[in-house]
């Protein structure tokens, strides 16, 4: 098992570690945004296509939820065999991405943040 680094990060960037920036998490965020910010689990699975296993989507949704990027309308311990609707918390995602832009903008340059 690989050992993960505890490298120091600027304040406000810890949550982005949870985003993981993997393809599934990014695709989930985009699919939710494209569909008005909310989809049920089966709708999300359909939106992502047959190339992504439902279990992979569920695992990534839980990780995104742990970091505040999505919210399920059913409590986690009550989801078995119940349809969950997922809402993208775009304000949290945007705030963390702005923090990343701020932290990676060279000194003296104004950061270019839109939205």
């Amino acid at each position: 098992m690989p050992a993960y680094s505890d490298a120091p990060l600027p304040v406000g960037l810890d949550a982005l570690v949870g985003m993981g920036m993997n393809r599934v998490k990014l695709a989930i965020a985009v699919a939710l945004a494209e569909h008005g910010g909310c989809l049920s689990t089966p709708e999300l699975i359909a939106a992502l296509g047959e190339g992504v296993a439902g279990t992979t989507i569920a695992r990534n949704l839980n990780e995104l939820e742990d970091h505040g990027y999505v919210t399920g309308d059913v409590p986690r311990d009550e989801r078995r065999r119940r349809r969950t609707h997922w809402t993208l918390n775009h304000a949290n995602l945007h705030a963390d991405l702005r923090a990343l832009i701020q932290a990676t903008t060279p000194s003296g340059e104004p950061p270019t943040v839109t939205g």
Side-chain angles (χ1 to χ4, degrees):
M1 170 141 332
Y4 293 98
S5 170
D6 195 19
L9 288 175
V11 174
L13 296 184
D14 284 335
L16 280 172
V17 173
M19 181 63 173
M21 297 298 180
N22 73 43
R23 296 181 71 86
V24 175
K25 288 183 182 116
L26 292 172
I28 287 169
V30 170
L32 287 169
E34 287 176 342
H35 292 88
C38 185
L39 289 172
S40 68
T41 304
E43 291 168 336
L44 189 52
I45 290 169
L48 295 183
E50 295 180 13
V52 185
T55 54
T56 300
I57 294 170
R59 179 177 41 83
N60 281 277
L61 281 166
N62 287 329
E63 290 174 13
L64 288 169
E65 185 178 40
D66 288 343
H67 295 281
Y69 296 122
V70 300
T71 303
D73 67 341
V74 177
R76 191 176 285 191
D77 59 345
E78 297 175 19
R79 290 184 186 151
R80 188 153 185 84
R81 301 199 195 297
R82 292 188 60 197
R83 183 170 295 208
T84 301
H85 288 84
W86 297 94
T87 301
L88 178 64
N89 299 327
H90 67 277
N92 291 353
L93 178 58
H94 292 185
D96 289 344
L97 291 172
R98 281 187 197 99
L100 178 61
I101 291 167
Q102 283 283 347
T104 58
T105 300
S107 298
E109 284 185 32
T112 53
V113 181
T114 60

